[in-house]
Amino acid sequence: MNIFLKEYIDKIYVVVDIDYFITTFTLLKTMMFKKFGNEKKSNTSVDTMSATTREEYEQLASEQIPIILSQENDDWLPFKFHDSGLGSLSDVKVYEKEMPDTPIKGTKGTATIPSPASVVYELLWDVEQKKQIEKELLEVEIIETISPSIDIIRARYSAPFPVTPRELVVMRVKMEENGEYYIVSLSVSHPKCEETSKYVRASVTSAVIIRPHSAGCSVTRYNQLDPKGSVPAMAVNRTKTKVGDFLVTLREIVSKNNPEA
């Protein structure tokens, strides 16, 4: 491979907000019924890029979240996490898998965080904390609050030359069930977020699950990012260790905020 091309690919940096899944499909259906089941739903599914009203976003959440979280039971292949540049933790485990209808692989990471699950949950939901965890994040704003547990955010990320900066418009949903916490993010459209030539609109599906653990809490993060534009799938797949970097950075921030942890 041409050396310049290899260096260029190595430097392509694909970023995304956040944030996974864990539990059985039966439990997920029960959770979603509790959150959204008392509301009257249309018999017609909502496309992720067609939702524009509060009711459509809530329906989209009830339809997509069980599908996203159920992927925890699928086959994942482990890979080494040792060259992230952020250091490593013995309990940080990272995985990847082929995804249907796309050459871009999904990634998954797990780690133990020395803090109560509820504290990590609130930290990850706080948009003001996102820049601490995601170093390439330029700006983030809440576009609309759909309900106390659902909002729409827009996040913009830097990228190394000559890659155009990326932008995400994401619906976030948070849930708590039996002491376990879930934050699911899914790319959507929004009337207040028209695309501009300054940013390429990327697409992401991600989830974070926080569970109580004897050492604090266990965190699992699932992520599938399509940066769109002309970034080749090979370059995107080379950034797979970032799911581990996310967990290392999260642990560092939690430890800094709680020195005794």
Side-chain angles (χ1 to χ4, degrees), residues 243-261:
V243 69
D245 294 344
F246 172 90
L247 294 170
V248 171
T249 302
L250 175 61
R251 181 163 184 163
E252 290 175 348
I253 291 172
V254 169
S255 298
K256 184 177 180 180
N257 293 342
N258 300 275
E260 297 181 359

Side-chain angles (χ1 to χ4, degrees), residues 191-209:
K192 294 182 180 179
C193 297
E194 295 184 0
E195 295 190 42
T196 70
S197 59
K198 189 176 180 180
Y199 298 92
V200 172
R201 180 71 55 87
S203 176
V204 70
T205 299
S206 69
V208 178
I209 296 179

Side-chain angles (χ1 to χ4, degrees), residues 29-209:
K29 290 196 295 184
T30 301
M31 291 168 56
M32 297 313 299
F33 180 80
K34 288 181 179 179
K35 295 292 181 182
F36 307 103
N38 293 329
E39 301 171 14
K40 186 176 179 180
K41 293 289 186 298
S42 166
N43 291 326
T44 304
S45 295
V46 178
D47 181 80
T48 57
M49 291 297 126
S50 67
T52 57
T53 67
R54 181 182 301 266
E55 291 75 17
E56 288 174 337
Y57 286 124
E58 290 178 339
Q59 182 182 344
L60 181 61
S62 68
E63 292 172 351
Q64 293 295 319
I65 290 176
I67 297 173
I68 295 169
L69 296 179
S70 68
Q71 295 187 61
E72 195 269 338
N73 295 320
D74 293 343
D75 294 331
W76 291 84
L77 298 176
F79 63 89
K80 291 184 178 180
F81 173 62
H82 63 276
D83 57 351
S84 65
L86 290 175
S88 184
L89 297 173
S90 60
D91 66 332
V92 175
K93 308 297 182 185
V94 288
Y95 308 84
E96 64 181 343
K97 73 170 182 177
E98 303 287 341
M99 305 300 292
D101 305 319
T102 176
I104 298 174
K105 295 180 180 180
T107 58
K108 168 185 169 182
T110 63
T112 301
I113 306 295
S115 181
S118 59
V119 173
V120 176
Y121 175 62
E122 293 300 329
L123 185 151
L124 289 174
W125 185 256
D126 185 355
V127 294
E128 296 301 321
Q129 294 287 342
K130 286 182 68 63
K131 285 187 177 181
Q132 299 298 316
I133 303 174
E134 302 175 38
K135 302 302 183 182
E136 298 77 23
L137 183 60
L138 296 172
E139 57 184 71
V140 59
E141 60 178 323
I142 297 175
I143 301 300
E144 181 178 358
T145 299
I146 306 299
S147 72
S149 61
I150 303 176
D151 65 15
I152 309 294
I153 68 169
R154 175 168 56 196
R156 289 170 168 166
Y157 297 85
S158 63
F161 179 83
V163 180
T164 303
R166 260 47 185 178
E167 173 184 79
L168 289 169
V169 177
V170 173
M171 177 178 69
R172 301 189 305 163
V173 182
K174 64 177 181 177
M175 301 175 290
E176 184 273 331
E177 184 77 9
N178 298 325
E180 298 180 1
Y181 299 88
Y182 305 77
I183 299 177
V184 179
S185 301
L186 176 68
S187 282
V188 295
S189 61
H190 193 279
K192 294 182 180 179
C193 297
E194 295 184 0
E195 295 190 42
T196 70
S197 59
K198 189 176 180 180
Y199 298 92
V200 172
R201 180 71 55 87
S203 176
V204 70
T205 299
S206 69
V208 178
I209 296 179

Side-chain angles (χ1 to χ4, degrees), residues 224-252:
Q224 185 184 8
L225 170 72
D226 184 348
K228 303 296 185 179
S230 59
V231 179
M234 178 179 63
V236 180
N237 291 334
R238 288 175 68 94
T239 67
K240 61 186 180 182
T241 59
K242 292 190 182 302
V243 69
D245 294 344
F246 172 90
L247 294 170
V248 171
T249 302
L250 175 61
R251 181 163 184 163
E252 290 175 348

